[in-house]
Amino acid sequence: MLNLKTIQQKIISFRNGRDWAQFHDPKNLAEALSIEAGELLENFLWKTTEQSRNLSPEELKKVKEELADIFIFLTYLSGEYKIDLLTEVENKIAMNEMKYPVHKAKGSAKKYTEL
Amino acid sequence: MLNLKTIQQKIISFRNGRDWAQFHDPKNLAEALSIEAGELLENFLWKTTEQSRNLSPEELKKVKEELADIFIFLTYLSGEYKIDLLTEVENKIAMNEMKYPVHKAKGSAKKYTEL
Amino acid sequence: MLNLKTIQQKIISFRNGRDWAQFHDPKNLAEALSIEAGELLENFLWKTTEQSRNLSPEELKKVKEELADIFIFLTYLSGEYKIDLLTEVENKIAMNEMKYPVHKAKGSAKKYTEL
Amino acid sequence: MLNLKTIQQKIISFRNGRDWAQFHDPKNLAEALSIEAGELLENFLWKTTEQSRNLSPEELKKVKEELADIFIFLTYLSGEYKIDLLTEVENKIAMNEMKYPVHKAKGSAKKYTEL
């Protein structure tokens, strides 16, 4: 069973072995993450909703790689600011619970500013 | 100490309580992730590298929220395809180790296709 | 009737009056354009194809603003490299005509690498 | 001398010859534009500001193609909503002149909400 801390350390150690921390300022990392998000999206372009749920094995393979890339850049950015990502996620869920109370948000795709 | 599985379940349970799975096909989720990546990047726009390393507390707060949002959409997408994200990350690191061998990639920002 | 050259000069003159050329290196401009593209996309998130064709007047207003913003950053980037955008577009159409010959591409959403 | 209307008609005619209008709903077009913006940005990733101003001829060639692609998708989106893009740009400049008055915005990279 893989462990989050172990993976995060592998990610950092992969970089340090290549002396890449010098390129990894937050501005560049945020660019990289945005580029990867575009590559992820490309897998769904021109597809219908139904097609996006039923990828071929080849397409799924590419999607998995993009998801992994995005996680890797999330890890570098979190490391840069010494953030514990899971804590931030927990905080964000708590915020979202206030922005999107069940009785207002249930079944609606509206943004909280319009609820 | 927060646990990855627990957080992932919180994320899924937040959604299910709001009946939002109906909107969460992969095409829409990839769009959402890309939009959030753009919002993350906006925090660094017009900044120098140095400035991006030295955010104000207010700026850092926004960055943390965007990182959390991106993690949340990664979780939904992984759930959609029943992927274990950490396994995919480990596989991707192994691939990257072959694409970027230390003796070629050390200290270089070139893409593997140019190494 | 508006003229392209006149509009491009207005865009440049808007910037010069504010002394913003100092921020407008291509790296930052490409970030800005990508952020605006994300804001454009946000108008279609969670929408069906049909809904995206039938925006409310308020939604359409926002879409128009994002399209304009993207054109503005295209203009700055073209100016930076002293490119005539229309010439580049004409060249690209010629390339696309070779990559996507009618007899292969007609009615297909496949990428040229898969045709 | 190339003419905007002529180019826009070429872009539309390229599509119609391939029977692609069926894929070109605004949601997909906005995805496509966002993906292209990511590809544009990739040309500047890991580069310094100075390097982004001094691209090699090969890099510049790629940048030109991405700018053209973005213009092409802008044209499709404008056509979809029967918008005259130049008019929208002119309107947006007028709005920006109010949001960013010279005496406040001169030499500042701040967003209008912070001026």
Side-chain angles (χ1 to χ4, degrees):
Chain A
M1 168 78 199
L2 281 164
N3 174 285
L4 180 62
K5 274 273 172 310
T6 313
I7 287 286
Q8 287 172 330
Q9 280 160 1
K10 273 200 176 188
I11 292 170
I12 298 296
S13 142
F14 174 86
R15 165 173 81 183
N16 292 348
R18 280 152 192 81
D19 212 3
W20 284 355
Q22 59 183 310
F23 307 115
H24 279 193
D25 58 275
K27 186 177 173 87
N28 270 310
L29 290 170
E31 284 185 8
L33 201 153
S34 191
I35 293 163
E36 297 294 343
E39 293 181 4
L40 173 69
L41 186 56
E42 197 182 353
N43 291 284
F44 304 107
L45 181 60
W46 315 127
K47 284 197 171 55
T48 64
T49 300
E50 268 320 287
Q51 289 168 336
S52 85
R53 292 201 198 260
N54 294 287
L55 299 184
S56 71
E58 289 223 331
E59 289 167 332
L60 184 55
K61 193 168 163 295
K62 282 196 228 163
V63 165
K64 286 174 176 182
E65 287 186 34
E66 300 303 344
L67 295 178
D69 279 335
I70 292 167
F71 183 86
I72 288 169
F73 287 116
L74 271 187
T75 301
Y76 288 139
L77 271 161
S78 303
E80 180 67 29
Y81 294 119
K82 300 183 177 41
I83 292 168
D84 179 55
L85 188 54
L86 295 190
T87 303
E88 299 310 324
V89 173
E90 189 163 61
N91 293 343
K92 193 69 206 306
I93 297 172
M95 287 176 57
N96 285 345
E97 276 165 352
M98 299 207 293
K99 277 156 118 180
Y100 296 96
V102 170
H103 70 282
K104 281 194 184 174
K106 194 158 189 171
S108 161
K110 283 191 186 155
K111 209 174 169 172
Y112 69 96
T113 44
E114 293 165 15
L115 281 176
Chain B
M1 167 82 198
L2 281 164
N3 175 284
L4 180 62
K5 274 272 172 309
T6 313
I7 287 285
Q8 286 172 330
Q9 280 160 1
K10 271 200 176 188
I11 292 171
I12 298 295
S13 142
F14 174 85
R15 164 172 82 182
N16 292 348
R18 280 153 192 80
D19 212 3
W20 284 354
Q22 59 182 312
F23 306 115
H24 279 192
D25 58 276
K27 187 178 172 86
N28 270 309
L29 290 170
E31 284 185 9
L33 201 153
S34 190
I35 293 164
E36 297 295 342
E39 292 181 4
L40 172 69
L41 186 56
E42 197 181 353
N43 291 285
F44 303 107
L45 180 61
W46 314 128
K47 285 198 170 56
T48 63
T49 300
E50 267 319 289
Q51 289 168 335
S52 85
R53 293 199 197 261
N54 294 288
L55 299 183
S56 71
E58 289 222 330
E59 290 167 331
L60 185 54
K61 192 167 163 297
K62 282 196 228 164
V63 165
K64 286 174 175 181
E65 287 185 35
E66 301 303 343
L67 295 177
D69 279 335
I70 291 167
F71 183 86
I72 288 169
F73 287 115
L74 271 187
T75 301
Y76 288 138
L77 271 161
S78 302
E80 180 68 29
Y81 294 119
K82 299 184 177 40
I83 293 168
D84 178 54
L85 188 54
L86 294 190
T87 304
E88 299 310 325
V89 173
E90 189 164 60
N91 292 343
K92 193 70 205 312
I93 296 172
M95 287 176 57
N96 285 344
E97 275 165 353
M98 298 207 293
K99 276 156 118 180
Y100 295 96
V102 170
H103 70 282
K104 282 195 184 173
K106 194 158 189 171
S108 162
K110 283 190 186 157
K111 210 174 169 174
Y112 70 98
T113 44
E114 293 165 15
L115 279 177
Chain C
M1 168 83 198
L2 282 162
N3 174 284
L4 180 62
K5 275 273 172 309
T6 313
I7 288 286
Q8 286 172 329
Q9 279 160 1
K10 272 200 176 188
I11 292 171
I12 299 295
S13 142
F14 173 85
R15 163 172 83 184
N16 292 348
R18 279 152 193 83
D19 212 3
W20 284 354
Q22 60 184 312
F23 307 116
H24 280 195
D25 59 276
K27 187 178 173 86
N28 270 311
L29 290 170
E31 285 185 8
L33 200 154
S34 191
I35 292 164
E36 297 294 343
E39 292 181 6
L40 172 69
L41 185 56
E42 196 180 355
N43 291 285
F44 304 106
L45 180 61
W46 314 128
K47 285 198 170 56
T48 64
T49 299
E50 268 320 288
Q51 289 168 335
S52 85
R53 293 200 198 259
N54 294 289
L55 299 184
S56 72
E58 289 223 331
E59 289 167 331
L60 184 55
K61 194 169 162 294
K62 282 197 229 163
V63 165
K64 286 174 175 182
E65 287 185 35
E66 301 302 344
L67 295 177
D69 279 335
I70 291 167
F71 184 86
I72 289 169
F73 287 115
L74 272 187
T75 301
Y76 288 138
L77 271 161
S78 302
E80 180 67 29
Y81 294 119
K82 300 182 177 39
I83 293 168
D84 178 54
L85 188 54
L86 295 190
T87 303
E88 299 310 324
V89 173
E90 188 163 62
N91 292 343
K92 193 71 205 315
I93 296 173
M95 289 177 55
N96 285 345
E97 276 167 352
M98 298 207 293
K99 277 157 118 179
Y100 296 97
V102 170
H103 70 283
K104 282 194 183 174
K106 194 157 188 171
S108 162
K110 283 190 186 157
K111 210 175 168 174
Y112 69 96
T113 45
E114 293 164 16
L115 280 177
Chain D
M1 169 80 198
L2 282 163
N3 174 285
L4 180 62
K5 274 273 171 308
T6 313
I7 287 285
Q8 286 171 330
Q9 279 160 0
K10 272 200 176 189
I11 292 171
I12 298 297
S13 143
F14 173 86
R15 164 172 82 182
N16 292 348
R18 281 152 191 80
D19 212 4
W20 284 355
Q22 59 183 311
F23 307 116
H24 280 193
D25 58 275
K27 187 177 172 87
N28 270 310
L29 291 170
E31 285 185 8
L33 201 152
S34 190
I35 293 164
E36 298 295 343
E39 293 181 4
L40 172 70
L41 185 56
E42 197 181 353
N43 292 285
F44 303 106
L45 180 61
W46 312 130
K47 285 198 171 54
T48 63
T49 299
E50 268 319 287
Q51 289 168 335
S52 85
R53 293 200 197 260
N54 294 287
L55 299 184
S56 72
E58 290 224 330
E59 288 167 331
L60 184 55
K61 193 170 163 295
K62 283 196 228 163
V63 165
K64 286 173 175 182
E65 286 186 34
E66 300 303 344
L67 295 178
D69 279 334
I70 291 167
F71 183 86
I72 289 169
F73 287 116
L74 271 187
T75 301
Y76 289 139
L77 272 161
S78 303
E80 180 68 28
Y81 294 119
K82 300 181 177 42
I83 293 168
D84 178 55
L85 188 53
L86 294 190
T87 303
E88 299 310 325
V89 173
E90 189 164 61
N91 292 343
K92 194 70 207 310
I93 296 173
M95 288 176 57
N96 285 344
E97 276 167 352
M98 298 207 293
K99 276 156 118 182
Y100 296 95
V102 170
H103 70 282
K104 281 194 184 174
K106 193 156 189 171
S108 161
K110 283 191 187 155
K111 209 173 169 173
Y112 69 96
T113 44
E114 293 164 16
L115 280 177

